[in-house]
Amino acid sequence: MEDGFLEPVADEDSAPFWAAARSGELRMQACAGCGQLRFPPQPMCPHCHSTASSWQVMSGLGTIWSYVVPHPPLLPAYERWAPFNVVLVQLDEDPEIRLTGNLLASADGHVNEIDPATITIGERVRAVFRQVSADLVVPQWVRLEPS
């Protein structure tokens, strides 16, 4: 990207994921043969080797499985945000599917406004969608409100 941030590459397999994110949906590729979800998207199912797939809407709910806090030295575009959190979220629909993102205080929050010391592995989160460029919307995460 122009500002130095690394932008994901949308290829033939991942394009539906990014299109869904632009629409505010979290979708995962599912094998049309055996039904297994898979991420990252790929042309063939690693379980049954089918090349047929569909895209299923996920709940957007998950659990923080792990996290890191990057500190400089970083790529120049990321230095101004450091330190910030990067969470690995395990989706409710399939414990083998884990997505990276940032834990934000709110849907329009910033990557460095959560104190990393307050993040807990096992914490419940939900997906929100953040527009980072004209064509790119990425899933991020906010804490699930206790019921």
Side-chain angles (χ1 to χ4, degrees):
M1 294 176 61
E2 286 179 23
D3 58 8
F5 285 95
L6 299 175
E7 186 169 329
V9 176
D11 58 19
E12 183 179 339
D13 296 314
S14 67
F17 175 85
W18 298 112
R22 283 191 299 277
S23 298
E25 289 184 332
L26 186 60
R27 288 185 179 254
M28 289 291 125
Q29 188 182 45
C31 176
C34 69
Q36 287 285 315
L37 296 175
R38 60 185 186 248
F39 191 85
Q42 49 196 305
M44 180 183 287
C45 177
H47 304 284
C48 75
H49 307 292
S50 172
T51 57
S53 65
S54 64
W55 286 84
Q56 296 180 3
V57 177
M58 301 290 106
S59 67
L61 300 175
T63 303
I64 295 177
W65 189 80
S66 188
Y67 70 96
V68 297
V69 181
H71 295 273
L74 299 166
L75 293 173
Y78 296 88
E79 285 180 354
R80 65 186 167 125
W81 301 108
F84 57 91
N85 69 75
V86 179
V87 294
L88 187 58
V89 174
Q90 183 177 43
L91 293 186
D92 281 3
E93 287 82 0
D94 186 332
E96 293 184 19
I97 303 285
R98 298 181 187 127
L99 300 176
T100 58
N102 305 104
L103 183 63
L104 308 177
S106 64
D108 59 350
H110 296 283
V111 299
N112 61 357
E113 67 186 0
I114 296 278
D115 178 357
T118 68
I119 299 172
T120 305
I121 292 174
E123 191 170 359
R124 299 286 294 152
V125 293
R126 69 176 171 84
V128 294
F129 297 89
R130 178 94 183 211
Q131 185 142 8
V132 295
S133 72
D135 297 324
L136 181 64
V137 174
V138 297
Q140 299 283 43
W141 305 93
V142 295
R143 290 179 162 122
L144 196 59
E145 296 296 323
S147 43

